[in-house]
Every structure is written in C-alpha cells, then in structure tokens.
Amino acid sequence: MKLDGMDKVLLSIAISLFTFTSCQNVKQIDPILKPYYEKCIATFKSNGIKVKNQPTIVKFVERLDGTGIAGLARGMNIDTFCYVWISPTFLEHDYNQRMWIMYHELAHDLFNIEHQESGMMGTRVPSRLYNKQFQEDLDGLIKLIKDEQRKSKLN
C-alpha cells in the first residue's frame, strides 16, 4: 500500500515524535483493540520473549475496509516504535481470528517476522480457527520469535 501525501506527513511526524522523545511508555491503543494487544504482550512475555518497551499505536483504519487486508504493520523494520493498523472488518471475526490477527501484526511490527507459508504468519486469516489449531499456530509463532531472538543474540 502506497502512502499518500498526508500519510507521509503523519508518519514523518510520528517518527520524529517517537525518535526525539525520551518517553518510551507512550501507548495509543484503541480501547476495543486494547484487550487483544495486552493478551498478546502478556503471552509473549510469559513465554520468555523479550518485548521492547517502545512507543506504540494500534488503531482501526477505515481505509483498510474493503481491501481484504485485516491489518498492516506500519512500523515493521522500524525498531523505534510499533505502529499497527487494523481493519474495521476485525470486528466481523470470531475471538480466535481476532487474536490471530493481533498476534500476526504484532509479530511483524515488534519482531520483524516475515510471512510464512502457513501458521500464524501465513498470509490469510483462517476462515475457521478452532482452539486446537489456534494453539498450534500460536506455539509455532512463539517458537519462531524465540528462534529469531536467539539468532540475533549470536550476531
């Protein structure tokens, strides 16, 4: 998705604000998305995954509606802040699918994890996501993130 003029200005302001301020605890998370975000962060931490304390924006973005894109990790590969867009269609999904979307986008943004062929980093939200499959996908994601964190320590 290309940035239009106003998006470039807003992103530039956000980057400047986050880069040049010392306040690492700035969190702007849509109230509806907050429980999903908090559950993901708690799961990462409880599994021994280091989550960087950084400014964070997680919000609904209308322009994703009708695009088929469930979310977009705008801060991927920018390690000074987390900036996630979520489509309003998020609300049309069941709980497991919502959690899948949030884990997926946060894995992109916080850990720079690329798409995989399947699992939680696959390119499509599963149309049916039963508890067993969700847990298998989540376990796979946790392993992937931990493996990446181990590799980065070696380099």
Side-chain angles (χ1 to χ4, degrees), residues 8-9 11-12 14 16 20 57 63-64 79 96 109 124 129:
K8 286 180 183 177
V9 169
L11 189 56
S12 176
S16 297
F20 299 112
I57 298 173
R63 76 175 61 175
L64 293 179
D79 294 333
N96 283 348
D109 207 303
R124 299 240 182 253
L129 192 56

Side-chain angles (χ1 to χ4, degrees), residues 58-70:
V58 180
K59 67 179 189 170
F60 285 111
V61 175
E62 294 292 329
R63 76 175 61 175
L64 293 179
D65 203 15
T67 64
I69 298 171

Side-chain angles (χ1 to χ4, degrees), residues 40-56:
C40 292
I41 298 301
T43 299
F44 292 143
K45 289 180 177 180
S46 71
N47 280 280
I49 294 171
K50 184 180 178 196
V51 179
K52 191 172 167 185
N53 185 22
Q54 59 191 9
T56 302

Side-chain angles (χ1 to χ4, degrees), residues 42-110:
T43 299
F44 292 143
K45 289 180 177 180
S46 71
N47 280 280
I49 294 171
K50 184 180 178 196
V51 179
K52 191 172 167 185
N53 185 22
Q54 59 191 9
T56 302
I57 298 173
V58 180
K59 67 179 189 170
F60 285 111
V61 175
E62 294 292 329
R63 76 175 61 175
L64 293 179
D65 203 15
T67 64
I69 298 171
L72 200 57
R74 304 297 296 186
M76 185 173 179
N77 297 314
I78 304 172
D79 294 333
T80 55
F81 67 92
C82 173
Y83 188 29
V84 174
W85 286 2
I86 300 293
S87 170
T89 60
F90 179 87
L91 299 172
E92 297 169 10
H93 294 287
D94 67 30
Y95 179 78
N96 283 348
Q97 290 168 320
R98 290 177 187 184
M99 289 305 303
W100 190 99
I101 293 165
M102 188 62 68
Y103 279 114
H104 178 98
E105 296 308 329
L106 289 174
H108 279 317
D109 207 303
L110 296 174

Side-chain angles (χ1 to χ4, degrees), residues 3 15 27 30 67 74 91 96 127 138 146 150 152:
L3 294 176
I15 290 170
K27 304 270 189 258
D30 185 283
T67 64
R74 304 297 296 186
L91 299 172
N96 283 348
S127 58
L138 180 56
K146 288 174 101 170
R150 268 191 290 275
S152 69

